[in-house]
Amino acid sequence: MIRPGGTVVGMTNNPTEPAIAVTGLRRSYGSQVVLDGIDLHVPEGTVFALLGPNGAGKTTLVRILSTLLRADAGEARVDGHDVAREPDLVRAAIGVTGQFAAVDDFLTGEENLLLMADLHHLGRAEGRRRTAELVERFGLREAAKRAGATYSGGMRRRLDLAMGLVGDPRVIFLDEPTTGLDPRSRRDLWQIVRDLVAQGVTIFLTTQYLEEADQLADRIALLDHGRVVAEGTPAELKRLVPGGHVELRFADERALVAAAAVLDVAPDPADGSPVLRVPGDGGVRSLKALLDRLDAASVDVDGLAVRTPDLDDVFFAVTGRPATTTAPEVTAR
């Protein structure tokens, strides 16, 4: 596994302690092992993304770290507190947004937030102040007096995350928060995450989308069959995968054949289109050199695209199977 060092800057009780520290964590349901010796360390004020297919153990890990489930073995600390021995202190330090928005459809957006304020034992005045602040922060002013049932998917997600922030948490768990959202709503949520991290909040994100982790995460761990099979920055994980290439499109077959001869790359005979795929990292220098060679040979390129590895490529490289292969994750009854 790739484990480059990092600088820890944070607000925990012990400034040298990460926001989340997991050592040897195990969890089984009967004979099925869901987590098989997980080790993770997440510095404060960063985004840590846990990637993996359905059934890999992502949600089980979040449930353990958020004190909703006990581990069979190992140790986990959040904000400096042991999740098994100090669950109340952990709960006071975290916010959790699950895969499905926990919005009460019969309450208004404002009432949902006030309910969370009551659950956090905030005083009446403080609860109203915090609610008003979050309504403004998440762009919910116009919808604050409407019932949750009238909210769009993106609005429900924003309200759900706002509800998780009522207690001013230092660590937030986002369990596949953008599943089912349209591209604009997803990007709106990404910006909210960036703003939170800029304020020193630590985000623990589970997702199946490499693009999402690539946009947000400082570090990524890839989980498969209950084990961390790779860990590093998005760029480091991509470098695990060979096969990046530049896709060159030509106006006709004659230009394609000429380019193939110049670059010493054979066209794909099964493709049938005037496209040539040239192995490469897509960097500016290598791309310029490639086009200069074609220009020197008077070969015109009609269009180009840089193709980089995606989640399936990374996952296949480290496990030997595509990420779309799924197994249902066992949950507690």
Side-chain angles (χ1 to χ4, degrees):
M1 289 185 290
I2 306 169
R3 293 185 181 275
T7 301
V8 177
V9 179
M11 303 176 293
T12 54
N13 297 331
N14 180 352
T16 64
E17 187 168 9
I20 300 172
V22 177
T23 306
L25 207 64
R26 297 180 182 276
R27 174 72 195 195
S28 300
Y29 296 101
S31 61
Q32 182 173 350
V33 177
V34 179
L35 298 176
D36 191 10
I38 300 295
D39 295 326
L40 293 175
H41 292 80
V42 182
E44 284 202 9
T46 64
V47 179
F48 188 94
L50 191 64
L51 296 178
N54 291 336
K58 303 187 301 295
T59 296
T60 294
L61 180 56
V62 169
R63 286 170 61 83
I64 290 173
L65 294 177
S66 58
T67 76
L68 298 176
L69 190 66
R70 278 190 170 272
D72 296 330
E75 183 181 55
R77 300 180 69 83
V78 176
D79 195 45
H81 306 295
D82 188 285
V83 298
R85 295 193 294 268
E86 303 171 292
D88 289 342
L89 293 175
V90 172
R91 290 170 193 148
I94 67 173
V96 181
T97 297
Q99 295 180 27
F100 305 100
V103 173
D104 189 310
D105 286 341
F106 296 100
L107 298 180
T108 67
E110 184 179 67
E111 288 168 343
N112 271 282
L113 290 167
L114 288 170
L115 175 60
M116 291 303 297
D118 288 342
L119 292 174
H120 281 281
H121 305 293
L122 300 183
R124 183 185 180 94
E126 176 61 17
R128 289 193 173 279
R129 185 199 68 78
R130 186 69 174 145
T131 293
E133 175 188 316
L134 290 168
V135 163
E136 289 295 325
R137 184 175 180 181
F138 284 82
L140 296 170
R141 182 195 296 178
E142 294 182 3
K145 301 293 185 181
R146 285 167 33 199
T150 68
Y151 282 30
S152 67
M155 291 172 62
R156 289 173 68 85
R157 267 302 177 198
R158 295 208 308 273
L159 176 58
D160 192 34
L161 184 52
M163 289 165 63
L165 292 177
V166 168
D168 199 19
R170 293 182 291 279
V171 179
I172 299 176
F173 294 97
L174 301 180
D175 190 14
E176 301 192 15
T178 63
T179 298
L181 293 186
D182 61 81
R184 180 172 181 176
S185 296
R186 179 174 293 141
R187 292 182 185 278
D188 287 345
L189 194 61
W190 289 355
Q191 188 55 54
I192 290 171
V193 169
R194 294 187 185 102
D195 293 342
L196 288 169
V197 172
Q199 297 165 18
V201 176
T202 303
I203 304 291
F204 189 98
L205 169 73
T206 75
T207 180
Q208 296 186 63
Y209 304 130
L210 182 60
E211 180 195 9
E212 185 159 272
D214 202 0
Q215 287 284 333
L216 297 175
D218 298 288
R219 291 183 64 76
I220 297 171
L222 190 60
L223 194 66
D224 182 40
H225 288 109
R227 291 178 175 270
V228 175
V229 294
E231 182 183 346
T233 66
E236 287 168 341
L237 289 179
K238 288 179 181 180
R239 286 198 293 269
L240 293 176
V241 183
H245 64 274
V246 177
E247 192 174 273
L248 302 172
R249 180 172 294 277
F250 301 92
D252 51 40
E253 186 73 18
R254 177 179 297 179
L256 172 69
V257 172
V262 170
L263 301 176
D264 194 25
V265 175
D268 183 354
D271 191 332
S273 61
V275 172
L276 194 64
R277 293 172 179 82
V278 183
D281 60 7
V284 174
R285 285 189 178 183
S286 60
L287 195 57
K288 183 177 184 301
L290 184 69
L291 295 176
D292 284 346
R293 289 173 65 187
L294 292 173
D295 188 53
S298 299
V299 178
D300 292 328
V301 178
D302 208 38
L304 65 83
V306 177
R307 306 299 183 188
T308 56
D310 58 17
L311 174 58
D312 273 342
D313 298 323
V314 175
F315 197 85
F316 188 84
V318 297
T319 68
R321 63 187 181 88
T324 50
T325 301
T326 62
E329 185 171 333
V330 178
T331 56
R333 296 285 193 267

